[in-house]
Amino acid sequence: MASAAELKQILKQDKDGKNLYDHLTETVMKIFLDRPGNAFDMFELISAEVKANPLNPEMEANKSVPPTAEEVEKQLAWALACSKLLKRPDEPPELNVRFPDLMDDMALYEWAGVSFGRSDTYRLYLSVKAFAESLPAEVERLRLFGMIKTRGQPYYVVEGITAEDPEGLDEMTQEGKAGANKYTYWVTQSCESNSWVQLPNVTMEQIVAARKFKKYMTGNLDAPISSFPPFPGNESNYLRTQIALICGATCVSPAGYFELNEDEDPPVVKLAEAETLNEAFPKPAQELKEPDAWVHHEIELNAIGRCTALPEQLDDNGDPIEPDEPVETTPPLKGIEAEQWAFRVGPGGSGEHAGSLVVAKSLVFPGALAIAAATRFVNIYVGYGMVYSPTTYSPPLPGALQVEWVPGEEEEPLLETEDVRADPTPPKEEGEEEED
Amino acid sequence: LEELAGLEVAMVQRKREENLSGKFLFWGKIYGATQDYLIVSVITTAADFPEKKYYYCTTGDYTLRALPSLSEDYESQAQALSVRFTGDPSFFNFSGADEVEEEDPEAPPVERFREVHRLSYVVQNIDHDCALAPKGSLVIDAGKRVIFNPYYPGLSFHTSADLRAYYHFRMPENAQGLAVLKKPGIVKADFLDCITKDTPSDIWTVAHDSSGSVAYVRNLYWQGYHFYAAIDSQEYGGAYFGSGVAQTDIAFML
């Protein structure tokens, strides 16, 4: 039997600076420090861990990798952006444009299951507020449209009324303020940035094309959209088109909130008078759960991509040309289709009461919500920007090949004319011949 | 808020009733037409691999019930369906037949393929495809069992931005991983399936949040699965919020 001193000698056999005695000591010390409940099972793991990170009284068991320059820069940039937002301005800013009170709306969103996180929502609110202060007064007010998720960073979208039409607006291809371009949209990609990019206006062709395919957005506004049929524009156009489709199809409000202003022609949707509002609202939750109680307050885009009718085209005589297939435009303030919406009440179940708020979820654009509570309502969209389709998508077939022209029965077929041999020499004038 | 309160009560009740010892995790929410399903998973450290059991409840009634296991016939029926969930667990009229015999309320319910079976199939499918664990969080201990690593140091900023740092939290299906589980001795190699091997390869996206302190991984095929991992910390988790229908058009959308 070896004595204790000999045992220690064996254990202390040094190999490249590591010896078993020290290792055993360290392992037992680590078990002592951590007191894991199942040290027996964990023994090998603890031993492996100790071999990897030698226990050093000055350094804690977690040796953390020092952050790289890139990470530090990114986090610093974020912190700077946030602190800029949080800084109080020296003088109170002019308030021309009303901005949404996101903190209030946040409570409504939460009942519907949508939340960006409290701090993030507050920073988004600050960002929107700062942006609103920089806009001209014609924009009137901003609304948070929602968040569109992409393969990269998401887009936060705000909506404002279009100030004025761009010059040279061709009514045949694009509607102005009276139609699909009633609102202008700005996007940003992080809650705390203060650079909002304006999205270009949408054209009819883009709307028609976008309905034919489904694509994930990449998160980069200049990215091309490779699709079939080809989409005229890049990702910022595609984003604007999807927003237009979503807005037209899913912006609903409780009936009675908006009414038609009959004085103008065509009738324009406007906020109902304060008296009517006070009488009609708050509506009990029971009533709001029925699809009859909701109306679209935005006009849905029709098959050719317009809200209003095509302007009349005059032909040469000055008579209006009737289009071959007149496309119907939807009337404003239309009721909603019951199959396209699902309703939830919050609080529901046993907590339901007459003043509960009602959430209408769109089944056509999953992620579009309309939330009504007492005298307020909000619309918000959070999602990838896609339509729900129960069937698998199959791309449209390419167009038929054009056939060659075949002559009709009575007509003569086209033939090449015979080559006419003409004498190239110029006719000789009588009596005159120029000799050079 | 209401769902949270209801779920807490239900989880405690279920835990005591069945005397479960595992970790209760919120798995996700599947939207239905009339009601939504809330799903909770329980992870128990059993032999070989942590075992997961699922419980569901609806937003109308907050008692957790176990999701039934499926026979092959039911599985094939579930696979064929791609319409939305209705929200009624006993719903069975999937083919839209006009004449449905009235079920006698007194008689015990007929054993048919119901929505609850479809729910079970979908949850297992989603979990098989989506449940993630960051690199290093699951290890094999001396007893050849896969366990959560108590010394998991968390991901660094760079590793978390790379898809290769994430693995599927399921019994490994690659040949190498299975072999590693059978080998004796301490194993330090990676044995789980890496998510970069999923086809098509772009269905996972990873991004940092703006503060750079959390990484988010999302699945584009099962639209609505989110996974987060806090950098340099042991926290991670994932959940599914969606309609339970996969995005089969994904080939056209990327």
Side-chain angles (χ1 to χ4, degrees):
Chain A
M1 279 298 295
S3 70
E6 281 179 19
L7 211 53
K8 199 164 170 185
Q9 189 72 24
I10 296 172
L11 284 177
K12 271 220 166 172
Q13 271 175 349
D14 215 300
K15 200 174 185 186
D16 301 332
K18 308 176 257 209
N19 64 35
L20 187 53
Y21 181 75
D22 284 337
H23 178 70
L24 276 177
T25 324
E26 286 189 353
T27 310
V28 174
M29 183 134 89
K30 189 171 171 82
I31 297 180
F32 238 1
L33 285 175
D34 290 345
R35 309 278 175 101
N38 50 351
F40 172 68
D41 295 322
M42 304 294 309
F43 185 68
E44 280 82 3
L45 275 177
I46 299 175
S47 169
E49 186 74 20
V50 168
K51 279 192 183 162
N53 310 329
L55 262 186
N56 195 332
E58 288 117 31
M59 200 165 68
E60 277 307 310
N62 263 344
K63 77 165 186 266
S64 55
V65 178
T68 59
E70 187 189 298
E71 178 182 355
V72 164
E73 208 182 283
K74 181 170 157 127
Q75 294 192 327
L76 264 185
W78 176 79
L80 269 176
C82 288
S83 56
K84 210 154 85 157
L85 266 187
L86 291 167
K87 193 166 110 132
R88 263 166 82 131
D90 296 320
E91 37 182 68
E94 292 180 26
L95 260 187
N96 293 328
V97 180
R98 281 188 292 147
F99 48 84
D101 187 354
L102 282 187
M103 314 314 295
D104 241 357
D105 294 345
M106 187 169 79
L108 289 184
Y109 299 153
E110 269 188 22
W111 278 112
V114 167
S115 175
F116 304 121
R118 288 178 69 107
S119 337
D120 269 352
T121 312
Y122 184 67
R123 284 194 279 266
L124 184 63
Y125 161 73
L126 284 179
S127 182
V128 171
K129 175 168 178 289
F131 179 59
E133 281 150 13
S134 66
L135 286 177
E138 290 85 25
V139 179
E140 276 184 51
R141 60 181 173 79
L142 287 183
R143 176 177 85 87
L144 179 71
F145 175 82
M147 179 175 108
I148 305 227
K149 297 196 258 197
T150 66
R151 291 173 60 185
Q153 299 291 337
Y155 292 116
Y156 295 97
V157 184
V158 295
E159 167 193 275
I161 301 182
T162 312
E164 41 185 63
D165 283 331
E167 297 183 28
L169 181 68
D170 180 7
E171 278 281 327
M172 293 309 293
T173 56
Q174 191 178 24
E175 285 184 291
K177 298 202 301 186
N181 283 314
K182 182 170 162 200
Y183 295 113
T184 311
Y185 294 90
W186 287 268
V187 296
T188 185
Q189 294 200 277
S190 68
C191 282
E192 47 276 329
S193 86
N194 32 23
S195 60
W196 292 80
V197 178
Q198 181 170 349
L199 288 180
N201 284 337
V202 68
T203 66
M204 287 158 44
E205 196 189 343
Q206 288 168 349
I207 294 181
V208 171
R211 281 182 170 143
K212 296 199 176 124
F213 63 88
K214 274 206 290 197
K215 265 283 190 188
Y216 276 117
M217 291 187 248
T218 61
N220 176 5
L221 281 175
D222 300 319
I225 305 274
S226 62
S227 65
F228 181 76
F231 182 76
N234 59 13
E235 185 158 312
S236 55
N237 300 100
Y238 182 60
L239 178 61
R240 176 68 180 87
T241 316
Q242 288 297 102
I243 293 175
L245 287 170
I246 293 170
C247 186
T250 63
C251 277
V252 296
S253 58
Y257 210 88
F258 289 101
E259 57 184 25
L260 283 180
N261 185 352
E262 301 287 344
D263 301 332
E264 297 184 26
D265 177 35
V268 160
V269 172
K270 71 170 181 60
L271 199 54
E273 299 284 329
E275 293 170 8
T276 357
L277 275 184
N278 283 338
E279 280 173 14
F281 292 89
K283 285 199 182 162
Q286 286 298 105
E287 211 180 299
L288 282 175
K289 272 200 291 196
E290 301 299 318
D292 302 329
W294 297 80
V295 291
H296 284 277
H297 63 263
E298 296 294 339
I299 307 180
E300 192 165 347
L301 297 164
N302 61 12
I304 52 170
R306 293 186 67 94
C307 291
T308 54
L310 271 176
E312 283 184 343
Q313 285 180 292
L314 303 177
D315 69 4
D316 299 329
N317 290 341
D319 296 325
I321 306 177
E322 295 284 335
D324 292 328
E325 301 165 4
V327 185
E328 295 273 321
T329 55
T330 41
L333 284 188
K334 194 173 77 118
I336 65 173
E337 310 256 350
E339 304 88 38
Q340 292 180 353
W341 296 86
F343 296 94
R344 296 274 184 282
V345 184
S350 52
E352 185 172 336
H353 61 285
S356 291
L357 54 85
V358 177
V359 179
K361 295 194 198 189
S362 169
L363 299 173
V364 173
F365 280 103
L369 303 168
I371 312 161
T375 51
R376 302 168 51 199
F377 84 96
V378 283
N379 287 307
I380 189 160
Y381 179 80
V382 175
Y384 286 96
M386 284 170 205
V387 185
Y388 170 78
S389 61
T391 54
T392 330
Y393 168 81
S394 48
L397 295 172
L401 288 175
Q402 291 182 333
V403 291
E404 279 197 38
W405 180 84
V406 175
E409 288 190 17
E410 299 294 325
E411 296 168 351
E412 286 194 9
L414 284 180
L415 291 173
E416 277 188 50
T417 47
E418 296 281 337
D419 283 338
V420 172
R421 289 191 175 276
D423 193 357
T425 54
K428 291 208 182 88
E429 297 279 342
E430 291 189 356
E432 284 186 29
E433 255 187 53
E434 294 215 358
E435 301 254 5
D436 286 341
Chain B
L1 191 65
E2 166 204 349
E3 293 170 352
L4 198 58
L7 259 187
E8 280 175 356
V9 171
M11 287 209 264
V12 170
Q13 184 190 21
R14 178 54 52 172
K15 187 164 184 166
R16 290 299 154 222
E17 277 179 6
E18 288 198 16
N19 212 1
L20 292 168
S21 59
K23 258 194 333 184
F24 265 88
L25 288 176
F26 176 64
W27 183 91
K29 181 171 166 184
I30 295 193
Y31 302 124
T34 47
Q35 302 182 86
D36 305 325
Y37 294 103
L38 296 165
I39 320 241
V40 166
S41 76
V42 180
I43 304 192
T44 47
T45 45
D48 282 351
F49 205 83
E51 211 181 271
K52 300 182 223 178
K53 281 188 76 173
Y54 303 100
Y55 297 90
Y56 77 97
C57 73
T58 61
T59 42
D61 168 27
Y62 287 98
T63 43
L64 286 172
R65 293 188 184 82
L67 279 180
S69 51
L70 297 171
S71 64
E72 272 194 27
D73 179 39
Y74 281 1
E75 270 187 33
S76 50
Q77 284 194 20
Q79 206 171 18
L81 290 170
S82 61
V83 291
R84 282 190 267 238
F85 283 90
T86 58
D88 178 11
S90 50
F91 182 75
F92 56 86
N93 196 5
F94 292 106
S95 50
D98 286 321
E99 292 162 25
V100 179
E101 334 158 351
E102 283 291 314
E103 288 206 321
D104 189 1
E106 297 297 314
V110 179
E111 181 63 36
R112 265 187 242 243
F113 176 69
R114 290 177 189 279
E115 183 150 299
V116 68
H117 296 107
R118 185 181 167 210
L119 185 65
S120 177
Y121 176 75
V122 163
V123 167
Q124 281 180 16
N125 233 4
I126 295 178
D127 201 64
H128 176 268
D129 283 344
C130 291
L132 295 186
K135 180 175 183 149
S137 64
L138 287 178
V139 288
I140 310 183
D141 76 348
K144 276 295 141 198
R145 289 182 309 166
V146 178
I147 51 171
F148 292 106
N149 183 1
Y151 295 105
Y152 170 54
L155 292 173
S156 72
F157 184 78
H158 276 292
T159 347
S160 59
D162 188 358
L163 279 177
R164 285 175 298 186
Y166 302 96
Y167 294 87
H168 282 287
F169 185 7
R170 63 179 186 216
M171 201 69 190
E173 290 172 1
N174 57 356
Q176 191 193 19
L178 284 173
V180 151
L181 278 178
K182 298 203 171 33
K183 235 171 40 170
I186 299 289
V187 183
K188 287 194 109 186
D190 293 326
F191 59 101
L192 297 166
D193 307 320
C194 187
I195 64 177
T196 48
K197 304 250 175 4
D198 286 346
T199 49
S201 52
D202 272 338
I203 57 174
W204 291 99
T205 64
V206 66
H208 284 123
D209 76 332
S210 6
S211 65
S213 56
V214 185
Y216 296 107
V217 182
R218 283 177 287 135
N219 188 318
L220 297 174
Y221 177 63
W222 292 105
Q223 217 182 53
Y225 183 77
H226 298 266
F227 177 83
Y228 75 93
I231 297 189
D232 287 337
S233 122
Q234 288 206 355
E235 265 192 60
Y236 64 89
Y240 176 80
F241 293 93
S243 59
V245 176
Q247 189 68 256
T248 41
D249 304 330
I250 190 156
F252 295 106
M253 294 189 352
L254 288 175

